[in-house]
Amino acid sequence: DGGITQSPKYLFRKEGQNVTLSCEQNLNHDAMYWYRQDPGQGLRLIYYSQIVNDFQKGDIAEGYSVSREKKESFPLTVTSAQKNPTAFYLCASRDLTSTDTQYFGPGTRLTVL
Amino acid sequence: GQNIDQPTEMTATEGAIVQINCTYQTSGFNGLFWYQQHAGEAPTFLSYNVLDGLEEKGRFSSFLSRSKGYSYLLLKELQMKDSASYLCAVPYPNAGNMLTFGGGTRLMVKP
């Protein structure tokens, strides 16, 4: 089955620890995106990547880092520098050659204890 | 800059029709998206409008007026499963199609 997978679904972390959220897609999409969603609010862009080994900061990149070593994978690291990391994190991808639509993974809910 | 406004919450009755409005400001229009998001789940694509007018897709229709910076999502024959948040989004101009999302409209459908 083609799609976008994120793991884990739920993640708990102690304050001060870094944690990496996984995002994998087998849709052969060029672009991938990370969004953060807080309760009752819309999505805010953290980072995006249009090509392997290249990525750009979004609106709220501070305290986060990403890598794009493979087309299929775009992991997000939430570092200890992120002051309020508890949120729902969504990964999305898009085929730049054929559609303007972004398709989302199931999300990871991160809770900092 | 980019800005999107949507009502925070709406309530409607099963079987009825509801219209969810979205107004936007953008420096370079490149289409408008509507997504549906059930609580705790990922957004799913509903519609994409780039030209003025109404586009119908089953029970859901989306309207766009570029001159007014206005769109609406029309849901007909409401079902309980339509209870969800509806997100309006517009792409950043010339920026890898990054999307700016509105805060979403939480629709509650009552029996």
Short mmCIF file of all heavy atoms in Angstrom, two decimals, chain B residues 24-82:
data_model
loop_
_atom_site.label_atom_id
_atom_site.label_comp_id
_atom_site.label_asym_id
_atom_site.label_seq_id
_atom_site.Cartn_x
_atom_site.Cartn_y
_atom_site.Cartn_z
N TYR B 24 -9.30 35.26 3.31
CA TYR B 24 -7.83 35.16 3.29
C TYR B 24 -7.21 36.43 2.71
O TYR B 24 -7.84 37.16 1.94
CB TYR B 24 -7.39 33.94 2.47
CG TYR B 24 -7.76 34.02 1.01
CD1 TYR B 24 -6.92 34.63 0.09
CD2 TYR B 24 -8.97 33.50 0.55
CE1 TYR B 24 -7.27 34.73 -1.25
CE2 TYR B 24 -9.32 33.59 -0.78
CZ TYR B 24 -8.48 34.20 -1.68
OH TYR B 24 -8.82 34.30 -3.01
N GLN B 25 -5.97 36.68 3.12
CA GLN B 25 -5.13 37.70 2.50
C GLN B 25 -3.81 37.05 2.14
O GLN B 25 -3.20 36.37 2.97
CB GLN B 25 -4.86 38.88 3.46
CG GLN B 25 -6.09 39.70 3.84
CD GLN B 25 -6.79 39.15 5.06
OE1 GLN B 25 -6.14 38.73 6.01
NE2 GLN B 25 -8.11 39.14 5.05
N THR B 26 -3.40 37.22 0.90
CA THR B 26 -2.13 36.66 0.45
C THR B 26 -1.52 37.57 -0.60
O THR B 26 -2.24 38.22 -1.35
CB THR B 26 -2.31 35.24 -0.11
OG1 THR B 26 -1.05 34.76 -0.58
CG2 THR B 26 -3.32 35.20 -1.25
N SER B 27 -0.19 37.59 -0.67
CA SER B 27 0.48 38.48 -1.62
C SER B 27 0.50 37.90 -3.02
O SER B 27 0.80 38.60 -3.97
CB SER B 27 1.91 38.76 -1.14
OG SER B 27 2.60 37.54 -0.95
N GLY B 28 0.19 36.64 -3.17
CA GLY B 28 0.17 36.02 -4.50
C GLY B 28 -0.69 34.79 -4.48
O GLY B 28 -0.29 33.75 -3.98
N PHE B 29 -1.91 34.90 -4.99
CA PHE B 29 -2.85 33.80 -4.86
C PHE B 29 -2.46 32.63 -5.75
O PHE B 29 -2.12 32.81 -6.93
CB PHE B 29 -4.26 34.27 -5.21
CG PHE B 29 -5.30 33.20 -5.01
CD1 PHE B 29 -5.72 32.88 -3.73
CD2 PHE B 29 -5.82 32.51 -6.08
CE1 PHE B 29 -6.67 31.88 -3.54
CE2 PHE B 29 -6.75 31.50 -5.90
CZ PHE B 29 -7.19 31.19 -4.62
N ASN B 30 -2.51 31.43 -5.18
CA ASN B 30 -2.16 30.22 -5.92
C ASN B 30 -3.07 29.08 -5.51
O ASN B 30 -2.62 27.95 -5.33
CB ASN B 30 -0.69 29.87 -5.68
CG ASN B 30 -0.19 28.84 -6.67
OD1 ASN B 30 -0.69 28.72 -7.78
ND2 ASN B 30 0.80 28.08 -6.25
N GLY B 31 -4.34 29.40 -5.31
CA GLY B 31 -5.27 28.34 -4.99
C GLY B 31 -5.64 28.32 -3.52
O GLY B 31 -4.99 28.95 -2.68
N LEU B 32 -6.71 27.62 -3.21
CA LEU B 32 -7.18 27.50 -1.83
C LEU B 32 -7.63 26.06 -1.59
O LEU B 32 -8.32 25.48 -2.41
CB LEU B 32 -8.33 28.48 -1.57
CG LEU B 32 -8.85 28.53 -0.13
CD1 LEU B 32 -9.20 29.97 0.25
CD2 LEU B 32 -10.03 27.62 0.07
N PHE B 33 -7.20 25.53 -0.45
CA PHE B 33 -7.50 24.15 -0.10
C PHE B 33 -8.49 24.10 1.07
O PHE B 33 -8.47 24.96 1.95
CB PHE B 33 -6.23 23.43 0.37
CG PHE B 33 -5.20 23.22 -0.71
CD1 PHE B 33 -4.27 24.20 -1.01
CD2 PHE B 33 -5.14 22.03 -1.40
CE1 PHE B 33 -3.31 24.01 -1.99
CE2 PHE B 33 -4.19 21.82 -2.38
CZ PHE B 33 -3.27 22.81 -2.67
N TRP B 34 -9.29 23.05 1.07
CA TRP B 34 -10.09 22.68 2.23
C TRP B 34 -9.70 21.26 2.64
O TRP B 34 -9.62 20.36 1.80
CB TRP B 34 -11.58 22.72 1.94
CG TRP B 34 -12.17 24.11 1.92
CD1 TRP B 34 -12.41 24.89 0.84
CD2 TRP B 34 -12.59 24.87 3.06
NE1 TRP B 34 -12.96 26.10 1.23
CE2 TRP B 34 -13.09 26.11 2.58
CE3 TRP B 34 -12.62 24.64 4.44
CZ2 TRP B 34 -13.60 27.10 3.44
CZ3 TRP B 34 -13.12 25.61 5.28
CH2 TRP B 34 -13.60 26.83 4.77
N TYR B 35 -9.48 21.10 3.95
CA TYR B 35 -9.19 19.80 4.52
C TYR B 35 -10.20 19.52 5.64
O TYR B 35 -10.66 20.43 6.32
CB TYR B 35 -7.79 19.76 5.14
CG TYR B 35 -6.65 19.64 4.15
CD1 TYR B 35 -6.12 20.77 3.52
CD2 TYR B 35 -6.08 18.40 3.87
CE1 TYR B 35 -5.06 20.65 2.62
CE2 TYR B 35 -5.02 18.28 2.98
CZ TYR B 35 -4.53 19.41 2.36
OH TYR B 35 -3.48 19.29 1.47
N GLN B 36 -10.47 18.23 5.83
CA GLN B 36 -11.29 17.79 6.95
C GLN B 36 -10.39 17.07 7.95
O GLN B 36 -9.52 16.28 7.55
CB GLN B 36 -12.37 16.82 6.47
CG GLN B 36 -13.27 16.28 7.57
CD GLN B 36 -14.14 15.11 7.09
OE1 GLN B 36 -13.62 14.09 6.65
NE2 GLN B 36 -15.45 15.29 7.16
N GLN B 37 -10.57 17.35 9.23
CA GLN B 37 -9.77 16.69 10.25
C GLN B 37 -10.64 16.23 11.40
O GLN B 37 -11.19 17.07 12.12
CB GLN B 37 -8.66 17.62 10.75
CG GLN B 37 -7.69 16.93 11.71
CD GLN B 37 -6.61 17.85 12.23
OE1 GLN B 37 -6.77 19.07 12.29
NE2 GLN B 37 -5.46 17.28 12.60
N HIS B 38 -10.75 14.91 11.58
CA HIS B 38 -11.41 14.39 12.76
C HIS B 38 -10.45 14.46 13.93
O HIS B 38 -9.22 14.42 13.75
CB HIS B 38 -11.88 12.96 12.51
CG HIS B 38 -13.08 12.88 11.62
ND1 HIS B 38 -12.99 12.62 10.27
CD2 HIS B 38 -14.40 13.04 11.88
CE1 HIS B 38 -14.20 12.62 9.73
NE2 HIS B 38 -15.08 12.89 10.68
N ALA B 39 -11.01 14.55 15.12
CA ALA B 39 -10.21 14.75 16.33
C ALA B 39 -9.13 13.69 16.46
O ALA B 39 -9.40 12.49 16.38
CB ALA B 39 -11.11 14.74 17.56
N GLY B 40 -7.89 14.13 16.64
CA GLY B 40 -6.78 13.21 16.84
C GLY B 40 -6.28 12.52 15.59
O GLY B 40 -5.43 11.63 15.69
N GLU B 41 -6.80 12.92 14.44
CA GLU B 41 -6.39 12.26 13.19
C GLU B 41 -5.75 13.27 12.25
O GLU B 41 -5.76 14.48 12.50
CB GLU B 41 -7.60 11.60 12.53
CG GLU B 41 -8.22 10.50 13.37
CD GLU B 41 -9.37 9.82 12.67
OE1 GLU B 41 -9.57 10.05 11.45
OE2 GLU B 41 -10.08 9.05 13.33
N ALA B 42 -5.21 12.77 11.16
CA ALA B 42 -4.58 13.64 10.17
C ALA B 42 -5.64 14.33 9.31
O ALA B 42 -6.72 13.80 9.10
CB ALA B 42 -3.67 12.81 9.27
N PRO B 43 -5.33 15.51 8.82
CA PRO B 43 -6.23 16.16 7.86
C PRO B 43 -6.33 15.35 6.58
O PRO B 43 -5.34 14.77 6.12
CB PRO B 43 -5.57 17.51 7.58
CG PRO B 43 -4.63 17.72 8.72
CD PRO B 43 -4.18 16.35 9.13
N THR B 44 -7.51 15.32 5.99
CA THR B 44 -7.69 14.66 4.69
C THR B 44 -8.19 15.69 3.69
O THR B 44 -9.02 16.54 4.01
CB THR B 44 -8.68 13.49 4.77
OG1 THR B 44 -9.91 13.96 5.32
CG2 THR B 44 -8.14 12.37 5.62
N PHE B 45 -7.68 15.61 2.50
CA PHE B 45 -7.96 16.58 1.44
C PHE B 45 -9.42 16.51 1.02
O PHE B 45 -9.96 15.43 0.79
CB PHE B 45 -7.05 16.28 0.26
CG PHE B 45 -7.39 17.04 -0.99
CD1 PHE B 45 -7.06 18.37 -1.10
CD2 PHE B 45 -8.02 16.40 -2.05
CE1 PHE B 45 -7.36 19.08 -2.26
CE2 PHE B 45 -8.33 17.09 -3.20
CZ PHE B 45 -8.00 18.43 -3.32
N LEU B 46 -10.05 17.68 0.93
CA LEU B 46 -11.42 17.76 0.44
C LEU B 46 -11.51 18.41 -0.94
O LEU B 46 -12.14 17.89 -1.84
CB LEU B 46 -12.30 18.57 1.40
CG LEU B 46 -12.67 17.93 2.73
CD1 LEU B 46 -13.49 18.90 3.57
CD2 LEU B 46 -13.44 16.64 2.52
N SER B 47 -10.88 19.60 -1.08
CA SER B 47 -11.04 20.32 -2.33
C SER B 47 -9.91 21.30 -2.53
O SER B 47 -9.22 21.70 -1.59
CB SER B 47 -12.37 21.07 -2.35
OG SER B 47 -12.37 22.10 -1.38
N TYR B 48 -9.74 21.68 -3.79
CA TYR B 48 -8.75 22.69 -4.19
C TYR B 48 -9.40 23.57 -5.23
O TYR B 48 -9.82 23.08 -6.28
CB TYR B 48 -7.51 22.00 -4.74
CG TYR B 48 -6.47 22.93 -5.33
CD1 TYR B 48 -5.95 23.99 -4.58
CD2 TYR B 48 -5.98 22.74 -6.62
CE1 TYR B 48 -4.98 24.82 -5.11
CE2 TYR B 48 -5.01 23.58 -7.15
CZ TYR B 48 -4.51 24.61 -6.40
OH TYR B 48 -3.54 25.44 -6.92
N ASN B 49 -9.51 24.86 -4.95
CA ASN B 49 -10.08 25.82 -5.88
C ASN B 49 -9.01 26.79 -6.33
O ASN B 49 -8.30 27.35 -5.50
CB ASN B 49 -11.21 26.63 -5.22
CG ASN B 49 -12.43 25.80 -4.89
OD1 ASN B 49 -12.36 24.91 -4.04
ND2 ASN B 49 -13.53 26.08 -5.54
N VAL B 50 -8.92 26.99 -7.64
CA VAL B 50 -7.97 27.97 -8.16
C VAL B 50 -8.69 29.01 -9.01
O VAL B 50 -8.20 30.13 -9.18
CB VAL B 50 -6.83 27.28 -8.92
CG1 VAL B 50 -7.34 26.62 -10.18
CG2 VAL B 50 -5.70 28.24 -9.22
N LEU B 51 -9.86 28.65 -9.51
CA LEU B 51 -10.67 29.58 -10.31
C LEU B 51 -11.95 29.93 -9.54
O LEU B 51 -12.42 29.17 -8.70
CB LEU B 51 -11.04 28.95 -11.64
CG LEU B 51 -9.86 28.58 -12.55
CD1 LEU B 51 -10.36 27.86 -13.80
CD2 LEU B 51 -9.04 29.82 -12.92
N ASP B 52 -12.50 31.09 -9.87
CA ASP B 52 -13.74 31.53 -9.22
C ASP B 52 -14.89 30.57 -9.54
O ASP B 52 -14.95 29.99 -10.63
CB ASP B 52 -14.13 32.93 -9.70
CG ASP B 52 -13.18 34.00 -9.20
OD1 ASP B 52 -12.38 33.70 -8.30
OD2 ASP B 52 -13.24 35.13 -9.72
N GLY B 53 -15.78 30.45 -8.58
CA GLY B 53 -16.97 29.65 -8.82
C GLY B 53 -17.12 28.52 -7.84
O GLY B 53 -16.36 28.39 -6.88
N LEU B 54 -18.13 27.73 -8.11
CA LEU B 54 -18.50 26.63 -7.23
C LEU B 54 -18.08 25.30 -7.85
O LEU B 54 -18.36 25.03 -9.00
CB LEU B 54 -20.02 26.65 -7.01
CG LEU B 54 -20.59 25.63 -6.03
CD1 LEU B 54 -20.18 25.97 -4.61
CD2 LEU B 54 -22.12 25.59 -6.14
N GLU B 55 -17.43 24.48 -7.04
CA GLU B 55 -17.08 23.13 -7.47
C GLU B 55 -17.79 22.14 -6.57
O GLU B 55 -17.64 22.21 -5.35
CB GLU B 55 -15.56 22.91 -7.40
CG GLU B 55 -14.80 23.71 -8.43
CD GLU B 55 -13.38 23.22 -8.64
OE1 GLU B 55 -13.04 22.13 -8.11
OE2 GLU B 55 -12.61 23.92 -9.31
N GLU B 56 -18.54 21.25 -7.18
CA GLU B 56 -19.32 20.30 -6.40
C GLU B 56 -18.69 18.92 -6.45
O GLU B 56 -18.23 18.46 -7.49
CB GLU B 56 -20.75 20.24 -6.94
CG GLU B 56 -21.47 21.58 -6.84
CD GLU B 56 -22.93 21.50 -7.21
OE1 GLU B 56 -23.67 20.75 -6.57
OE2 GLU B 56 -23.32 22.19 -8.17
N LYS B 57 -18.70 18.28 -5.27
CA LYS B 57 -18.13 16.95 -5.17
C LYS B 57 -18.99 16.16 -4.19
O LYS B 57 -18.72 16.11 -2.99
CB LYS B 57 -16.69 17.06 -4.66
CG LYS B 57 -15.78 15.93 -5.06
CD LYS B 57 -14.39 16.09 -4.43
CE LYS B 57 -13.52 17.05 -5.15
NZ LYS B 57 -12.13 17.06 -4.62
N GLY B 58 -20.04 15.57 -4.71
CA GLY B 58 -20.94 14.83 -3.84
C GLY B 58 -21.68 15.76 -2.89
O GLY B 58 -22.23 16.78 -3.29
N ARG B 59 -21.65 15.44 -1.60
CA ARG B 59 -22.36 16.27 -0.61
C ARG B 59 -21.59 17.55 -0.29
O ARG B 59 -22.13 18.45 0.32
CB ARG B 59 -22.57 15.47 0.68
CG ARG B 59 -23.52 14.30 0.56
CD ARG B 59 -23.85 13.73 1.93
NE ARG B 59 -22.68 13.23 2.65
CZ ARG B 59 -22.22 13.76 3.78
NH1 ARG B 59 -22.80 14.82 4.31
NH2 ARG B 59 -21.16 13.23 4.38
N PHE B 60 -20.33 17.60 -0.69
CA PHE B 60 -19.49 18.75 -0.36
C PHE B 60 -19.26 19.61 -1.62
O PHE B 60 -18.99 19.08 -2.69
CB PHE B 60 -18.13 18.29 0.17
CG PHE B 60 -18.17 17.63 1.53
CD1 PHE B 60 -19.36 17.28 2.13
CD2 PHE B 60 -16.99 17.35 2.20
CE1 PHE B 60 -19.39 16.68 3.37
CE2 PHE B 60 -17.01 16.75 3.46
CZ PHE B 60 -18.20 16.41 4.03
N SER B 61 -19.35 20.91 -1.44
CA SER B 61 -19.05 21.86 -2.52
C SER B 61 -18.14 22.94 -1.96
O SER B 61 -18.24 23.27 -0.78
CB SER B 61 -20.33 22.51 -3.06
OG SER B 61 -21.24 21.55 -3.52
N SER B 62 -17.30 23.49 -2.82
CA SER B 62 -16.43 24.59 -2.38
C SER B 62 -16.54 25.72 -3.38
O SER B 62 -16.56 25.51 -4.59
CB SER B 62 -14.98 24.12 -2.24
OG SER B 62 -14.53 23.53 -3.42
N PHE B 63 -16.60 26.93 -2.83
CA PHE B 63 -16.78 28.14 -3.64
C PHE B 63 -15.59 29.05 -3.42
O PHE B 63 -15.05 29.15 -2.31
CB PHE B 63 -18.06 28.86 -3.23
CG PHE B 63 -18.22 30.22 -3.86
CD1 PHE B 63 -18.73 30.33 -5.14
CD2 PHE B 63 -17.83 31.37 -3.18
CE1 PHE B 63 -18.87 31.59 -5.73
CE2 PHE B 63 -17.97 32.62 -3.76
CZ PHE B 63 -18.49 32.72 -5.04
N LEU B 64 -15.20 29.77 -4.48
CA LEU B 64 -14.10 30.72 -4.39
C LEU B 64 -14.45 32.02 -5.10
O LEU B 64 -14.98 31.98 -6.22
CB LEU B 64 -12.83 30.14 -5.01
CG LEU B 64 -11.62 31.06 -5.09
CD1 LEU B 64 -11.09 31.37 -3.69
CD2 LEU B 64 -10.53 30.46 -5.96
N SER B 65 -14.13 33.14 -4.45
CA SER B 65 -14.15 34.45 -5.10
C SER B 65 -12.79 35.10 -4.86
O SER B 65 -12.50 35.56 -3.74
CB SER B 65 -15.26 35.33 -4.51
OG SER B 65 -15.11 36.68 -4.97
N ARG B 66 -11.96 35.15 -5.87
CA ARG B 66 -10.62 35.70 -5.72
C ARG B 66 -10.65 37.21 -5.48
O ARG B 66 -9.85 37.75 -4.72
CB ARG B 66 -9.78 35.37 -6.95
CG ARG B 66 -9.39 33.90 -7.04
CD ARG B 66 -8.71 33.60 -8.36
NE ARG B 66 -9.63 33.74 -9.48
CZ ARG B 66 -9.25 33.65 -10.75
NH1 ARG B 66 -8.00 33.40 -11.06
NH2 ARG B 66 -10.14 33.77 -11.72
N SER B 67 -11.60 37.89 -6.13
CA SER B 67 -11.67 39.35 -5.97
C SER B 67 -12.04 39.73 -4.54
O SER B 67 -11.64 40.80 -4.05
CB SER B 67 -12.66 39.95 -6.95
OG SER B 67 -13.97 39.45 -6.70
N LYS B 68 -12.78 38.87 -3.86
CA LYS B 68 -13.20 39.16 -2.49
C LYS B 68 -12.33 38.48 -1.45
O LYS B 68 -12.52 38.69 -0.25
CB LYS B 68 -14.66 38.73 -2.29
CG LYS B 68 -15.65 39.52 -3.14
CD LYS B 68 -17.07 39.08 -2.88
CE LYS B 68 -18.05 39.88 -3.73
NZ LYS B 68 -19.46 39.45 -3.53
N GLY B 69 -11.39 37.64 -1.87
CA GLY B 69 -10.57 36.91 -0.91
C GLY B 69 -11.41 36.03 -0.01
O GLY B 69 -11.23 36.01 1.21
N TYR B 70 -12.31 35.29 -0.62
CA TYR B 70 -13.36 34.59 0.14
C TYR B 70 -13.62 33.22 -0.46
O TYR B 70 -13.66 33.04 -1.68
CB TYR B 70 -14.63 35.45 0.09
CG TYR B 70 -15.88 34.80 0.57
CD1 TYR B 70 -16.06 34.45 1.90
CD2 TYR B 70 -16.93 34.55 -0.32
CE1 TYR B 70 -17.23 33.86 2.34
CE2 TYR B 70 -18.11 33.96 0.10
CZ TYR B 70 -18.25 33.63 1.44
OH TYR B 70 -19.41 33.04 1.86
N SER B 71 -13.82 32.27 0.43
CA SER B 71 -14.20 30.93 0.03
C SER B 71 -15.19 30.38 1.04
O SER B 71 -15.25 30.84 2.19
CB SER B 71 -12.97 30.01 -0.02
OG SER B 71 -13.32 28.67 -0.25
N TYR B 72 -15.99 29.44 0.62
CA TYR B 72 -16.80 28.70 1.58
C TYR B 72 -16.88 27.23 1.20
O TYR B 72 -16.75 26.86 0.03
CB TYR B 72 -18.20 29.29 1.78
CG TYR B 72 -19.15 29.23 0.59
CD1 TYR B 72 -19.75 28.03 0.20
CD2 TYR B 72 -19.48 30.39 -0.11
CE1 TYR B 72 -20.63 27.99 -0.86
CE2 TYR B 72 -20.36 30.35 -1.18
CZ TYR B 72 -20.93 29.15 -1.55
OH TYR B 72 -21.81 29.11 -2.61
N LEU B 73 -17.08 26.43 2.21
CA LEU B 73 -17.30 25.00 2.06
C LEU B 73 -18.76 24.73 2.42
O LEU B 73 -19.22 25.15 3.48
CB LEU B 73 -16.37 24.21 2.97
CG LEU B 73 -16.41 22.69 2.88
CD1 LEU B 73 -15.86 22.22 1.54
CD2 LEU B 73 -15.61 22.07 4.02
N LEU B 74 -19.47 24.10 1.52
CA LEU B 74 -20.89 23.82 1.73
C LEU B 74 -21.08 22.32 1.94
O LEU B 74 -20.67 21.52 1.09
CB LEU B 74 -21.69 24.29 0.52
CG LEU B 74 -23.21 24.37 0.67
CD1 LEU B 74 -23.57 25.52 1.62
CD2 LEU B 74 -23.86 24.59 -0.69
N LEU B 75 -21.67 21.96 3.06
CA LEU B 75 -21.93 20.55 3.35
C LEU B 75 -23.43 20.32 3.36
O LEU B 75 -24.16 20.95 4.12
CB LEU B 75 -21.36 20.16 4.72
CG LEU B 75 -19.84 20.06 4.87
CD1 LEU B 75 -19.17 21.43 4.84
CD2 LEU B 75 -19.50 19.34 6.16
N LYS B 76 -23.87 19.42 2.50
CA LYS B 76 -25.31 19.13 2.40
C LYS B 76 -25.63 17.80 3.07
O LYS B 76 -24.75 16.96 3.28
CB LYS B 76 -25.72 19.04 0.93
CG LYS B 76 -25.44 20.28 0.12
CD LYS B 76 -25.80 20.06 -1.34
CE LYS B 76 -25.40 21.24 -2.21
NZ LYS B 76 -25.67 20.99 -3.65
N GLU B 77 -26.90 17.64 3.40
CA GLU B 77 -27.39 16.37 3.98
C GLU B 77 -26.45 15.90 5.09
O GLU B 77 -25.92 14.79 5.06
CB GLU B 77 -27.51 15.29 2.90
CG GLU B 77 -28.45 15.67 1.77
CD GLU B 77 -28.35 14.70 0.59
OE1 GLU B 77 -27.81 13.59 0.78
OE2 GLU B 77 -28.79 15.07 -0.50
N LEU B 78 -26.25 16.77 6.05
CA LEU B 78 -25.27 16.51 7.10
C LEU B 78 -25.49 15.17 7.78
O LEU B 78 -26.62 14.77 8.08
CB LEU B 78 -25.32 17.62 8.15
CG LEU B 78 -24.57 18.90 7.81
CD1 LEU B 78 -24.85 19.96 8.86
CD2 LEU B 78 -23.08 18.65 7.68
N GLN B 79 -24.37 14.51 8.06
CA GLN B 79 -24.36 13.25 8.78
C GLN B 79 -23.54 13.42 10.05
O GLN B 79 -22.69 14.32 10.13
CB GLN B 79 -23.78 12.14 7.91
CG GLN B 79 -24.52 11.94 6.60
CD GLN B 79 -23.86 10.92 5.69
OE1 GLN B 79 -22.95 10.21 6.08
NE2 GLN B 79 -24.35 10.83 4.45
N MET B 80 -23.80 12.57 11.02
CA MET B 80 -23.08 12.68 12.29
C MET B 80 -21.57 12.58 12.06
O MET B 80 -20.79 13.25 12.74
CB MET B 80 -23.54 11.59 13.26
CG MET B 80 -25.02 11.68 13.62
SD MET B 80 -25.44 13.21 14.45
CE MET B 80 -24.63 12.98 16.01
N LYS B 81 -21.16 11.78 11.09
CA LYS B 81 -19.73 11.59 10.84
C LYS B 81 -19.06 12.85 10.27
O LYS B 81 -17.83 12.91 10.18
CB LYS B 81 -19.51 10.43 9.88
CG LYS B 81 -20.04 10.69 8.46
CD LYS B 81 -19.74 9.51 7.55
CE LYS B 81 -20.21 9.79 6.12
NZ LYS B 81 -19.91 8.65 5.20
N ASP B 82 -19.87 13.84 9.89
CA ASP B 82 -19.30 15.10 9.39
C ASP B 82 -18.81 15.98 10.53
O ASP B 82 -18.18 17.03 10.29
CB ASP B 82 -20.34 15.88 8.57
CG ASP B 82 -20.77 15.13 7.32
OD1 ASP B 82 -19.94 14.35 6.78
OD2 ASP B 82 -21.92 15.30 6.90
#
